[in-house]
Amino acid sequence: MSNNPRTLTPAQVRELARHEALPTTAGYADGYVQANLLAVPQEYAFDFLLYAQRNPKPCPIIGVLEAGQLNSELLPGGDIRTDIPGYRVFRDGELVSEPAVVNAEWEEDMVAFLIGCSFTFESALQDNGISLAHIDQGRNVPMYRTSIATTPAGVFSGPMVVSMRPVPANQVADAVRITSRYPSVHGAPVHVGDPAQLGIADLSRPDFGDAVDIPVGHIPVFWACGVTPQAAVMNSRPRLAITHQPGKMLVTDARDLAYQIP
Amino acid sequence: MSNNPRTLTPAQVRELARHEALPTTAGYADGYVQANLLAVPQEYAFDFLLYAQRNPKPCPIIGVLEAGQLNSELLPGGDIRTDIPGYRVFRDGELVSEPAVVNAEWEEDMVAFLIGCSFTFESALQDNGISLAHIDQGRNVPMYRTSIATTPAGVFSGPMVVSMRPVPANQVADAVRITSRYPSVHGAPVHVGDPAQLGIADLSRPDFGDAVDIPVGHIPVFWACGVTPQAAVMNSRPRLAITHQPGKMLVTDARDLAYQIP
């Protein structure tokens, strides 16, 4: 097996995740789509799929494992209960544990939603000469709950969560143009430049991930974030929900390029 | 009220549909989105929404009325049980009646899916100088079951249904370009020029709608069709399903332009 995480295959990363405590999947298996996970019992599945359909920017569905299904063409031969480096278990909206595998917690009729992740367009930004402060600073991307309400569906509602990346003022237009080519993995920014309008009081205190230092001459740019479903779970309190830990994603066999439009 | 069907408002068309036997909604309320209907009891709602998510070209969802909901911003103050000129009721996959209203058949927990319709891009084709044979010939667009299988979800599976429009050979590229700007109402054609490859033996015998004469020098062009869910119902036999009658659509308050991408 390669020692360079970038050149591992998705199957190799999932195998690693099954046995080791990877701190993040960022930088692993270059060129492959990484996915957020939200799994709920069947009784909540219609409401959540409708919630995602009504909120496609924060919740772009790239795959669904139906009740009883543990893998698919996105993770051939894999097991959704073990192949992510870390999980979060929510009961009645409260985070109750962060296990390495969820075989014990998984109920037979759970439906697993795999949701696109901005790691896909981060490579495209870097390939186009836009450096990413959180990567340069060795941190997880900062994420914030906003005052923007998502469109409710059934029992699910809650605030939109955004990720923030500082971009040099003369590259903001490029960042918009590049990320709009990935509409099924969050697409163009939802907001540029004024955190107060999103209800974010202090950029140095993110709700998820790590704070980053904003270099001089950089503008904070905000994208819809796949952690939004976790906020909906905390707000809407389904009996049981299982997610990935932020930054520890499912590495899939789908190619980033498959999600790029011309 | 205007005598010209093109200049009626969507609300006026829905009011007409409540009281009169309109033969079609084609040509009514120019510039507004018309929608296919599929309504099923709640027990089938997740499976159908997932089926649509996996088959976005034939089943682009533009709105969902949750259980107990009879109108929405797509039909403000309306009633989904009466505001379409004609309905089809399927029991166990069999067409059992074609009533003008479905107040009696509608069950309290039914979920109604509103699905984009190619009438939206037909205006754009005509505005760009591409004439439409079925309109010139005063007929409903011809639709065919194909040998292309849709991606199954839960209890739903079946063939893709396509609509066919003859296009002059020198305008086929334009027709592709124009319709690809409407990805959420079927988008670009799924096939150009060879019906046999779709398993269509005889263009003069459509499965839905009317046959059209193909003018000399015209190529048959095939688009994914919103009647595909009706084929899935006939194949998958849910206990109850209610649809519109082909060509008699729900005229919504949404603008065609809202579904066009640059």
Side-chain angles (χ1 to χ4, degrees):
Chain A
M1 195 180 283
S2 159
N3 286 319
N4 181 349
R6 294 196 175 278
T7 60
L8 293 175
T9 67
Q12 287 172 330
V13 181
R14 295 193 297 268
E15 175 69 24
L16 268 181
R18 235 168 272 154
H19 302 294
E20 292 183 29
L22 299 182
T24 178
T25 51
Y28 281 73
D30 254 5
Y32 289 92
V33 171
Q34 300 200 11
N36 300 275
L37 168 69
L38 177 74
V40 287
Q42 176 90 57
E43 65 200 271
Y44 301 105
F46 172 69
D47 285 358
F48 184 75
L49 185 56
L50 185 58
Y51 181 75
Q53 196 272 338
R54 288 181 175 166
N55 297 282
K57 287 204 86 163
C59 307
I61 299 284
I62 63 167
V64 178
L65 304 183
E66 297 182 53
Q69 194 184 350
L70 298 175
N71 57 44
S72 74
E73 75 287 355
L74 291 172
L75 63 161
D79 186 328
I80 191 62
R81 304 168 301 180
T82 58
D83 291 4
I84 291 178
Y87 295 84
R88 288 182 151 184
V89 178
F90 294 85
R91 295 194 187 273
D92 300 317
E94 305 289 336
L95 177 63
V96 296
S97 63
E98 298 198 292
V101 298
V102 286
N103 301 68
E105 292 81 1
W106 200 267
E107 298 184 358
E108 274 191 10
D109 75 344
M110 288 195 94
V111 177
F113 298 92
L114 303 177
I115 298 165
C117 162
S118 53
F119 286 1
T120 295
F121 67 61
E122 286 192 345
S123 307
L125 289 170
Q126 292 177 300
D127 290 347
N128 284 275
I130 299 174
S131 66
L132 295 169
H134 65 280
I135 293 178
D136 295 344
Q137 297 170 27
R139 302 180 195 163
N140 197 344
V141 71
M143 294 162 267
Y144 306 86
R145 275 195 197 84
T146 69
S147 52
I148 303 174
T150 56
T151 305
V155 301
F156 292 101
S157 63
M160 186 187 293
V161 175
V162 296
S163 60
M164 188 278 289
R165 292 166 188 79
V167 176
N170 66 347
Q171 291 184 308
V172 170
D174 287 343
V176 170
R177 186 179 54 76
I178 292 161
T179 56
S180 32
R181 293 172 66 190
Y182 295 89
S184 50
V185 285
H186 306 313
V190 292
H191 202 87
V192 175
D194 185 0
Q197 284 185 32
L198 295 175
I200 301 171
D202 184 352
L203 284 180
S204 71
R205 300 181 57 181
D207 296 299
F208 307 90
D210 305 320
V212 297
D213 304 319
I214 301 188
V216 174
H218 285 53
I219 307 295
V221 180
F222 301 90
W223 280 268
C225 177
V227 172
T228 301
Q230 292 198 23
V233 162
M234 294 161 81
N235 192 55
S236 311
R237 303 181 169 275
R239 179 170 63 74
L240 172 64
I242 296 177
T243 75
H244 68 294
Q245 292 171 22
K248 301 182 184 181
M249 318 299 290
L250 177 70
V251 179
T252 78
D253 275 28
R255 292 265 181 192
D256 284 342
L257 286 177
Y259 290 87
Q260 182 188 313
I261 60 167
Chain B
M1 196 179 283
S2 159
N3 286 320
N4 181 350
R6 294 198 175 276
T7 60
L8 293 175
T9 67
Q12 287 171 332
V13 181
R14 294 193 297 268
E15 174 68 24
L16 268 181
R18 238 168 271 153
H19 302 295
E20 293 182 30
L22 298 182
T24 178
T25 52
Y28 282 73
D30 253 4
Y32 290 93
V33 170
Q34 300 200 13
N36 301 275
L37 168 70
L38 177 75
V40 287
Q42 176 90 57
E43 64 200 272
Y44 301 104
F46 172 69
D47 285 357
F48 185 75
L49 185 56
L50 185 59
Y51 181 74
Q53 197 272 339
R54 288 180 176 166
N55 297 283
K57 288 203 87 163
C59 307
I61 298 283
I62 63 167
V64 178
L65 304 182
E66 297 182 51
Q69 192 184 350
L70 297 176
N71 55 45
S72 74
E73 75 288 354
L74 291 172
L75 63 161
D79 186 328
I80 191 64
R81 302 168 302 181
T82 58
D83 291 5
I84 292 178
Y87 295 84
R88 288 183 150 183
V89 178
F90 294 83
R91 295 195 187 274
D92 300 318
E94 304 289 337
L95 176 63
V96 294
S97 63
E98 297 198 292
V101 297
V102 286
N103 301 67
E105 292 81 359
W106 200 266
E107 298 184 358
E108 275 192 10
D109 75 343
M110 288 194 94
V111 177
F113 298 91
L114 303 177
I115 297 164
C117 161
S118 52
F119 287 0
T120 294
F121 67 60
E122 286 193 345
S123 307
L125 288 169
Q126 292 177 300
D127 291 347
N128 284 275
I130 299 175
S131 66
L132 296 170
H134 64 281
I135 292 179
D136 296 344
Q137 297 170 27
R139 302 179 195 165
N140 197 344
V141 70
M143 293 163 269
Y144 306 86
R145 276 196 197 83
T146 69
S147 52
I148 304 175
T150 56
T151 305
V155 300
F156 292 101
S157 63
M160 186 187 294
V161 175
V162 295
S163 60
M164 187 280 287
R165 294 167 188 79
V167 176
N170 66 347
Q171 291 184 308
V172 169
D174 287 342
V176 171
R177 187 180 52 77
I178 292 161
T179 56
S180 25
R181 293 173 66 191
Y182 295 89
S184 50
V185 285
H186 306 313
V190 291
H191 203 87
V192 175
D194 185 359
Q197 284 185 33
L198 296 174
I200 302 171
D202 184 352
L203 285 180
S204 72
R205 301 182 58 182
D207 296 299
F208 307 90
D210 305 320
V212 297
D213 304 320
I214 302 188
V216 173
H218 285 53
I219 307 294
V221 180
F222 300 90
W223 280 268
C225 178
V227 173
T228 302
Q230 292 197 23
V233 162
M234 293 160 82
N235 192 54
S236 310
R237 304 183 168 274
R239 179 171 64 73
L240 172 64
I242 296 177
T243 73
H244 68 294
Q245 292 171 20
K248 302 182 183 182
M249 319 298 290
L250 177 70
V251 179
T252 79
D253 275 28
R255 293 262 180 194
D256 283 342
L257 286 177
Y259 291 87
Q260 182 187 312
I261 60 166

